[in-house]
Every structure is written in structure tokens, then in C-alpha cells.
Amino acid sequence: MPPTPPQSDAAPTIPLRILATSDLHMHVLGYDYFLNRPSEGFGLSRVAALIAAERRCATNTLLFDNGDSLQGSPMGDFLAEPGVLGPRGIHPAIAAMNALGYDAATIGNHDFSFGLGFLRRTLEGADFPVVASNTTSRRRMPLLRHALLQRRMLDRAGHAHMVRIGVLGFLPPQTADWEPDLRGEVAIGDILDAAKAQADLLRAEGADLIVALAHSGIGALEPVPKMENAATALAALPAIDVVIAGHSHRLFPGPDHPTGPGIDIAAGTLAGKPAVMPGFWGSHLGVIELELEPSGMAGRSWRPRALGSRVEPARSHEEQPLVLRPAMASHHATLRHFQRRIGRSDSALSSHFVLLGRDPGLRLVAMAQRWQVRKALAGTRWRDLAILSAAAPFRAGGRGGPEHYTDVPAGPLTLRNLADLYLFPNRLCALVLTGADVADWLERSASLFRQIHPGGQDQPLLDPEFPGYNFDQIDGLEWQIDLSRPPRYAPDGRLLHQGSRRVRDLCHRGRPVQDGQLFVLATNSYRLSDSGLFAPVIRRGEVILNGIARTRDVLRRYVSHRRVVSPEARLGWRFAEMPGTSVMFQTSPAAEWRHLPMPGQPLGLDSGGFLTLRLQL
């Protein structure tokens, strides 16, 4: 779209285009490190082509990033290793953002994953302000509570004006629970409380426009304390003019985004304010079109009028040298590092059927966790308790697309393969739970599935609102899932159907699990937070190991110790039989459907590129 030609209006108006990225997760380049090949679907290097195109056809632009940029790919993990970057090295993600001329950014919860020291050194290389309005640190950090940008902008008649843009940044208050190393070091407050206080300061400093960089999902309009997904309630605050949302890896505006009070997909607004959520990994660029009109209000020269919001896909755009140059040396070093051989697997490790109870890779993770916990508890008063091990799939399709699966062939296992099996830098933990608590844990996981009506045909199996990373499997138990019963819990943990129980015939070593029976459960530091699906169960247990090692390091040591592994695929559960009933299930087009754990047949690819299977219950 070409720039609007100059006009001779008596009252000047300023066109402004706001561009945004979010949840890059260190996908600086369009490269899939797990598949070990370039990918056309994502990468800041591809988004850079969109940024350049938007700037060419817009009179005035601002560019923001919404956090979670530093963790989430093997390159990010490698760069966080001690000594890799060096004391003066600029992180490639920051160097790329500097080259692209970002105006400001905020941080997300995963940006803390490698520790405060690493985050401090990384952010010190930024040529733009990094804002964290609801965050305070005991030690010095290169973070601002708010920023006031002053930019020279041209109106439609070609006349220059100074515009003052206030920038706020927020991340979920739960971050301090998800990242145990932050406790006592960083306080993360309520998003809305911080927004009100910091917006008042910005207005007092003369901000004409306030942009909220909210590393927070699009949730309820009505506020509640310590909201994780607060973007809609944030937009409803009178002082907020524009919201950039993120964290939940969705597209807004977009036809697949859930609706609700204050959420207008057609208009691209939240609570009537222009908003955008640009996907993840550099899949899209968010674009908000505004027009600034003379305000007439004391201390504020301009007021915004929304013209529209959109997300532009980066797929198939050429990677831009501006981003490639600062990242290529680290890219090649990452490839060399992750080629290191650790052991061997006699069986293929695929997550194609993990949501049907078959995944040898997930079972390998569970085995490694149990091995480490057993060693840690030797000689303690818990040594004689049965050790169970909970693990969830991180690559099981969903919003990541039809290539977002683990698919490691039999043969040598490298660091790249282990990173594929366990994506996040979580730490291994363990707690003591009763049999009733363990059953409740599994009941919450079983909320992944929709209720299936006996005798019905081609019913959708999965609830798309339930994230795969919450589908915990507990190795060491056997049980059935009765899909004819409604889910007891909602994906966010709310009690939906108090009288419903899907998990039945729960056994340990062939014997029914008793409510008062005690177990040690191996899990991870993310599960030990005070919020989330499993939080009520966690609060009933006794934590006996808290973050003893990073889970991926445990997995590496286990494979290295065993040298050759051959984990079984079966995860210990199956669906209760429902004769004459069929469901629809989507998986990778590379899945060997002939090895299905239940009767089924392929129906071809759906519009998203997933293989659709009809399964007989």
C-alpha cells in the first residue's frame, strides 16, 4: 500500500504504523535445528523482509518486541553455556534487533531461564530500551519501569511534529514461581496494578500515546488479581491506547482465536483498543494502523484513532542479510556443538502417537528422571517408597504445526536429539504424594480429551485449548481413560464436573492404587509453581528434591551411562473400549499409521497439513 498523498487539511493528522514481534524463542534464523534443515515458515530473518516492506510504504513506523526472545531453540541453549559468548560478545538476538532498529522491547518469562546474570549481560548489549513495568530486581538490571520515546513524525501534509510515545512492558506474575532461581531476587507484581501506576507517570511526563507490550495472553475482560493472561483487561484501562499481546503463541486478529467479552476479531481490538498478537518463532509480523489527531487535552498533543490490525505471515520470505550477518557464526557453532554423540538408541523415538499413549522418547525422559531421583534418595528416609516419573510431550503438533514432532531414527543419539526430546531448561524435582493425589494428577491430564459419546462417529478427540505440555504421563502406573465421562477439569484447572472421574483401574505393579498409599513423584520445576493445572495437587504434597539438576542434563547423563537405550513405546494407559464409536485424530504426515496403537485408518491431510486418522474406540 503506497503512502497516503499529502493533504491540505486544516487539522493535521499523523499516520502511524506499529510493527511487533513476539515469542521469537531464539528463532533468529529460518532454521529447524531438530530437523537439521532450513524452514520457510519462521525466523526473525524472514520477518525482517516484512519489516522492510512495511517501512517502505509507511510514513511513520515504530517497531517493538514482546519478549521470550532468548530461549527456545538449540542456538539459545548453546549461547547460554558458560564462556560461549564471552564478556564482550553481543548476543545474536540482540545484535539482530539492533540492526533492525527496534524502538523498544519487553522481556518474557522464558528470558529468565538461563539466570539473572546471563539476562543482565545480554540486555546490556541492546541499543533500545527494555521495559519491565511490573518487575523489580534486588540487583541492578538494565530494565526500565517505563520508557518515553520522542519521535519526529510527518503528518499527511508533510509537516513534522514531535510525538511522545510511552511504552510499558509486562510479564506474567507467575514467572517467579516458574523460575525458582528468581525467588528473593526478583519481584513480579500484578500487571494491572503496575499498568495504572506507570501509565499515570507517563501521562504526567506528557505521553501522547501509551503502548503496552504485554507478554501475556488474551484472557478475560474482568480483572482478577495476578492474571496470567491479562491483555484484554489491560486494554480496558483508560490510559492504555495500544496492546501488543503474546505468551500464548496465538494469532490475533485471526479466525481461529477464541472470542469472548471485549475480544473483537473482526476489528482487531481488545476492549475497543487496537491490539495484535503475532504468533511465535517469527512466524508473523503484527501490524497496527493508527491515525493521530490533535488532542486538545492538557499535556497531550495527539490522540490515536484505530484504523485496523493484522498479522502478516513470514512464510517463504527471503532471509535478510541484516539479520543473517550477526547470527551466522553462532549458527555454525551451534550445529557443530549439537553433533556431539552421547549414546545410541536401538529403537526410533517418535512423538507421533504420544497423545494416544505411545512415545518411546517420552518414556526415555521418564526413565532418566527416575534414575536420578533414585540415586538422590539413596540413604534417605524416602528410599523405600516407589518412585513414579511424570513427563509431558513438548513436540506434539498443535500450534507448532505438522512438523512439530520428535522423530529421531534408531541409531546414534546426539545432543541435538536430546534437545529435541526435552526442550526447556527445567530442573528435576520430586515430591511425596498419596495415591489419591496421583489419581487427581492423571485426571487433570485427561482433560486433554473431549467427551466422546458412545456410538457416535468421527468425533474430534482433542481439546485444542489444552496445551500438550500439560499432558503429563506418569511412568510406573497403569490405568484406563473413560472418554464417555466429561472432563473433570478445564484446561486452566477449574473444576468443571465434580462428579466425573475419567481415570479408572489405576494400578501399580498390578495392584490397585490405594488412596493413602505414598509415592515419590519425579517432576520438574515448572510444575512446582503456585499456579497452573497441577498447582492444587502440588500444594498437597511434600517437596523432597527441588531443582537438583536440569532435566536435559539428567537425560544426557543417563544416556551416556547406559550407552545403548531401547525404551518401550507404551506409556502405561489406554482408552476404555467403546464399541461402535470413532474419533478423529491429527498427527504428523510422516507418522507410520500402520503402527497405530488402536484400529484406525488414514483420511488424508487436513487444511493445516496434519494427517487425519479415524480411530475406532
Side-chain angles (χ1 to χ4, degrees), residues 6-7 12-15 59-60 151-164 292 301-302:
Q7 301 178 9
T13 58
I14 299 175
T59 306
N60 309 293
R151 296 291 186 267
R152 179 180 178 273
M153 296 186 181
L154 299 180
D155 65 24
R156 295 191 184 278
H159 301 131
H161 305 268
M162 291 303 297
V163 179
R164 295 159 295 188
L292 305 182
S301 302
W302 305 91

Side-chain angles (χ1 to χ4, degrees), residues 366-589:
M367 291 162 62
Q369 292 180 162
R370 181 188 290 106
W371 171 77
Q372 185 67 59
V373 168
R374 181 177 291 113
K375 291 202 306 178
L377 295 183
T380 72
R381 62 189 176 95
W382 301 288
R383 64 184 180 276
D384 295 328
L385 290 181
I387 299 174
L388 309 176
S389 187
F394 296 136
R395 286 167 53 80
R399 295 171 197 165
E403 292 187 339
H404 191 57
Y405 291 87
T406 293
D407 194 4
V408 178
L413 289 176
T414 64
L415 283 177
R416 176 172 62 84
N417 301 140
L418 300 191
D420 192 337
L421 289 171
Y422 205 95
L423 295 185
F424 296 103
N426 298 330
R427 293 183 179 275
L428 180 62
C429 301
L431 65 161
V432 176
L433 294 177
T434 66
D437 292 332
V438 169
D440 193 34
W441 194 293
L442 292 174
E443 196 68 59
R444 292 167 186 272
S445 289
S447 298
L448 168 73
F449 304 108
R450 295 177 184 265
Q451 183 178 9
I452 303 301
H453 301 286
Q457 300 300 307
D458 295 351
Q459 302 169 77
L461 177 63
L462 305 179
D463 180 353
E465 298 304 310
F466 192 104
Y469 60 75
N470 270 347
F471 186 55
D472 265 7
Q473 311 296 291
I474 299 184
D475 192 49
L477 299 174
E478 301 83 39
W479 68 100
Q480 293 188 47
I481 298 176
D482 184 353
L483 296 180
S484 70
R485 306 286 294 170
R488 181 177 176 84
Y489 298 103
D492 62 3
R494 287 178 295 111
L495 183 63
L496 290 180
H497 300 94
Q498 186 170 3
S500 181
R501 297 282 185 181
R502 289 178 146 185
V503 174
R504 71 186 205 192
D505 301 334
L506 181 61
C507 293
H508 174 250
R509 295 179 180 173
R511 296 182 178 180
V513 171
Q514 304 300 314
D515 285 351
Q517 190 173 354
L518 294 182
F519 296 94
V520 171
L521 181 69
T523 182
N524 62 67
S525 51
Y526 178 75
R527 287 287 183 262
L528 263 58
S529 68
D530 290 333
S531 61
L533 180 62
F534 300 94
V537 191
I538 295 292
R539 287 193 285 268
R540 297 195 294 267
E542 178 186 2
V543 177
I544 57 175
L545 296 174
N546 196 346
I548 58 175
R550 294 201 182 275
T551 307
R552 192 187 298 165
D553 292 337
V554 171
L555 178 61
R556 175 181 53 79
R557 289 197 292 266
Y558 179 73
V559 172
S560 180
H561 171 74
R562 292 289 301 271
R563 302 185 67 177
V564 179
V565 295
S566 185
E568 293 184 9
R570 186 172 180 270
L571 296 176
W573 64 272
R574 60 185 176 86
F575 295 124
E577 291 186 5
M578 205 179 297
T581 307
S582 68
V583 294
M584 306 296 276
F585 175 74
Q586 284 75 36
T587 187
S588 165

Side-chain angles (χ1 to χ4, degrees), residues 350-363:
S350 162
S351 66
H352 296 156
F353 300 131
V354 63
L355 306 184
L356 301 178
R358 299 291 188 277
D359 186 342
L362 193 66
R363 185 133 200 280

Side-chain angles (χ1 to χ4, degrees), residues 149-337:
L149 311 177
Q150 298 196 51
R151 296 291 186 267
R152 179 180 178 273
M153 296 186 181
L154 299 180
D155 65 24
R156 295 191 184 278
H159 301 131
H161 305 268
M162 291 303 297
V163 179
R164 295 159 295 188
I165 304 100
V167 183
L168 302 175
F170 307 96
L171 70 160
Q174 294 79 10
T175 302
D177 297 324
W178 297 333
E179 300 290 344
D181 292 346
L182 300 184
R183 293 169 188 169
E185 296 290 333
V186 173
I188 302 173
D190 183 85
I191 290 176
L192 301 183
D193 289 345
K196 294 171 186 174
Q198 296 300 316
D200 286 345
L201 294 175
L202 280 172
R203 290 299 186 203
E205 294 174 18
D208 298 307
L209 174 75
I210 294 183
V211 177
L213 306 180
H215 191 82
S216 180
I218 296 173
L221 176 63
E222 292 298 321
V224 296
K226 298 191 71 172
M227 295 180 79
E228 177 184 352
N229 298 309
T232 312
L234 180 63
L237 297 180
I240 302 299
D241 297 307
V242 173
V243 173
I244 313 297
H247 182 54
S248 57
H249 291 198
R250 288 188 176 274
L251 292 176
F252 182 86
D256 296 329
H257 195 283
T259 59
I263 303 172
D264 191 328
I265 294 174
T269 60
L270 299 176
K273 309 289 180 58
V276 73
M277 184 187 289
F280 59 99
W281 297 2
S283 63
H284 292 74
L285 177 70
V287 183
I288 294 175
E289 304 274 4
L290 298 176
E291 191 169 67
L292 305 182
E293 302 170 335
S295 171
M297 298 172 60
R300 181 174 178 179
S301 302
W302 305 91
R303 65 173 180 268
R305 184 170 68 88
L307 300 180
S309 304
R310 52 190 164 90
V311 288
E312 295 291 342
R315 175 170 292 278
S316 301
H317 283 273
E318 290 293 327
E319 294 187 276
Q320 300 299 293
L322 203 61
V323 174
L324 292 174
R325 280 193 294 267
M328 288 308 293
S330 295
H331 168 65
H332 290 303
T334 299
L335 294 178
R336 290 192 298 271
H337 174 73

